[in-house]
Amino acid sequence: MEEERLREEERRRRIARARRRRQVIRRRRMMALGILLVVVVLIVAAAVTIYRRNQERKQQEALEKQQQEEAAAQEEAENNTLHIRAVGDNLIHDAFIETGSDNDWNFDFLYENIKEDISDADLASVNQETPLTTEHENAAGYPDFNTPSEVGDALADAGFDIVTQATEHAFDQEETGIRDTISFWEDEHEKITLLGIHDSESDSRYQIIEEKNFKIAVMNYSTMLSENHSIPEDSSYMVNLYSEENAQADLEEAKQEADVAIVYLHGGQDESVEPEERLQERVQFLAEQGADVIICSHPHILKGYELIEKPDGKETLVYYSLGNFVSAQSSLENLLGGMADFTLTKEGDEVTIDSYSMIPLVMHYNADYTECSVYKLSDYTDELAQEHGIHEENPEADFTISALEEAAGNAGELHTEWNFQTDETDEEGTDTGESTGNSETDSQSNDENNSSSDQNTAEDEDNGGSGNSSLGDNQNTDEN
């Protein structure tokens, strides 16, 4: 019995041990399974994290790539868009010279109110009507102008990139004036593109400006010189005087290098805000030769502007006169100027005019010229208009904001009916060989170096302050 009991106890102990072993094994298995599950969860979590991070990285990379592509596209679009502004005649009379001398020969005050508008443009041009001198004792206003070179410094500081100097006053100081002016620009402001005057016979009459994705050919001609001065034959190269032969040759050559051509033409009359026939003929000829933009100066009054269709179906933008930019002349018409404002766009090799307008400007000076500055008409005030020095010269002058706005409105966009003709065979089978109003005979008789249609005005037109003030090519004077 004792043995049976012992065997039973041993059997039970074996069963208990087996049960404990199974429990231990089960617990170990559960622990292993738990660990495995944890590992699996951790692996899955890690995989998910890695996947998410990869996705986020890919999304970030895609976003950055998209942003880079958009930035590149925007940069490309910006580089294929060129914003240009241009102003008219910068005519420095004696009154401004005196004010500048009292201001330590600093002329920044003339342009401070429109400096931001000039600097904002990709390219900005001004017609510097007169030669420049570094010798203050030689500075002079009307009739033989000699402008202090600090005016050039002020123009550069205002943000102008292109300066045109082929005007009727270009030879006022003869060869010395030409050479001094060129030396000043080259020595002091070499980045500015100077047009219209030369000190070497080998100089090209046009220049190529590379700005953004554009190659712009720019050229400047004057249709006249002051009656007080004539250029000797051996110095005729010093001023770009207009002729159809020169303009045709220059545009033909320039268009082979550039994708857009801008012509600055100094000439015209004061008879109307609409262009006179002679100016229209010149504009038509230049457009036919490939000019994309034509900007005219000289009449000292604001004229209209328009987009005209060329014979090839493309378009030319024309500003017939931007009037005075700076002057001490004393009529509302002479004190209202304009700033051409247009944008070119480029697609492939094709350049088009995307938008265009003209911003009216007002030349302000008070009675003693201690305050002189150009304003946008939109910034000009009734108070300034009432303080204008014009009232000293002419107490009856209607120089008000409303009068200025009306005059600016009259010089708005035009819609001229053009009659371009290309080389065609007429009904009789004869090649016409010319464009309307621009025959070779016309070119030879009217576009010689001293054009008779424009030349007779230079003596009177640029007087400011007191004395005679003329508006244009017909010697129309205005007693102040």
Side-chain angles (χ1 to χ4, degrees), residues 261-273:
I262 300 176
V263 178
Y264 295 90
L265 182 66
H266 196 75
Q269 298 178 358
D270 74 312
E271 296 171 348
S272 169
V273 295

Side-chain angles (χ1 to χ4, degrees), residues 171-422:
F171 214 63
D172 274 10
Q173 302 301 318
E174 301 184 345
E175 292 189 14
T176 299
I178 297 287
R179 297 190 189 281
D180 287 350
T181 301
I182 293 173
S183 294
F184 165 76
W185 288 118
E186 289 182 347
D187 294 344
E188 302 299 326
H189 303 286
E190 61 180 358
K191 291 185 179 180
I192 284 181
T193 299
L194 175 63
L195 299 175
I197 57 175
H198 310 279
D199 57 3
S200 172
E201 195 167 1
S202 62
D203 288 349
S204 172
R205 287 187 296 266
Y206 69 87
Q207 292 198 45
I208 303 294
I209 298 175
E210 296 191 28
E211 183 70 20
K212 294 186 174 179
N213 288 340
F214 294 80
K215 293 183 72 175
I216 311 105
V218 287
M219 57 202 76
N220 171 215
Y221 309 98
S222 179
T223 63
M224 73 204 82
L225 285 178
S226 169
E227 284 186 339
N228 298 336
H229 302 278
S230 59
I231 301 183
E233 182 64 29
D234 58 358
S235 301
S236 60
Y237 65 88
M238 301 189 84
V239 181
N240 284 356
L241 293 170
Y242 179 81
S243 73
E244 289 187 352
E245 180 181 3
N246 286 347
Q248 183 179 32
D250 293 344
L251 282 165
E252 182 178 358
E253 183 176 350
K255 293 288 280 187
Q256 294 178 9
E257 304 177 57
D259 42 38
V260 61
I262 300 176
V263 178
Y264 295 90
L265 182 66
H266 196 75
Q269 298 178 358
D270 74 312
E271 296 171 348
S272 169
V273 295
E274 296 183 354
E276 67 278 8
E277 182 179 356
R278 189 71 187 103
L279 184 58
Q280 284 184 316
E281 290 174 352
R282 286 174 173 149
V283 163
Q284 178 177 325
F285 179 81
L286 291 169
E288 288 174 340
Q289 307 312 309
D292 300 292
V293 180
I294 303 169
I295 299 174
C296 304
S297 58
H298 169 69
H300 304 299
I301 67 168
L302 191 61
K303 289 179 178 282
Y305 61 97
E306 65 181 331
L307 199 63
I308 64 176
E309 186 175 341
K310 294 186 284 189
D312 61 4
K314 297 181 181 179
E315 294 175 316
T316 295
L317 177 61
V318 185
Y319 291 89
Y320 291 104
S321 174
L322 298 176
N324 284 332
F325 180 44
V326 168
S327 87
Q329 293 183 319
S330 54
S331 72
L332 182 146
E333 291 79 10
N334 293 155
L335 296 168
L336 176 68
M339 179 161 56
D341 187 11
F342 58 96
T343 300
L344 305 177
T345 57
K346 184 175 183 180
E347 186 173 348
D349 295 329
E350 193 72 22
V351 176
T352 56
I353 297 163
D354 184 59
S355 63
Y356 60 97
S357 65
M358 183 156 59
I359 301 170
L361 305 175
V362 180
M363 178 65 225
H364 177 78
Y365 56 82
N366 59 2
D368 60 2
Y369 293 91
T370 54
E371 295 180 8
C372 316
S373 188
V374 181
Y375 288 82
K376 290 190 296 185
L377 178 54
S378 59
D379 294 335
Y380 204 57
T381 64
D382 285 315
E383 290 75 18
L384 286 169
Q386 291 170 9
E387 296 169 2
H388 201 289
I390 189 175
H391 302 296
E392 189 80 9
E393 295 283 346
N394 180 10
E396 303 300 321
D398 181 18
F399 193 82
T400 61
I401 297 296
S402 59
L404 287 163
E405 289 176 343
E406 181 180 358
N410 291 336
E413 186 173 2
L414 305 174
H415 301 281
T416 306
E417 292 295 329
W418 291 88
N419 184 25
F420 285 109
Q421 295 181 6
T422 55

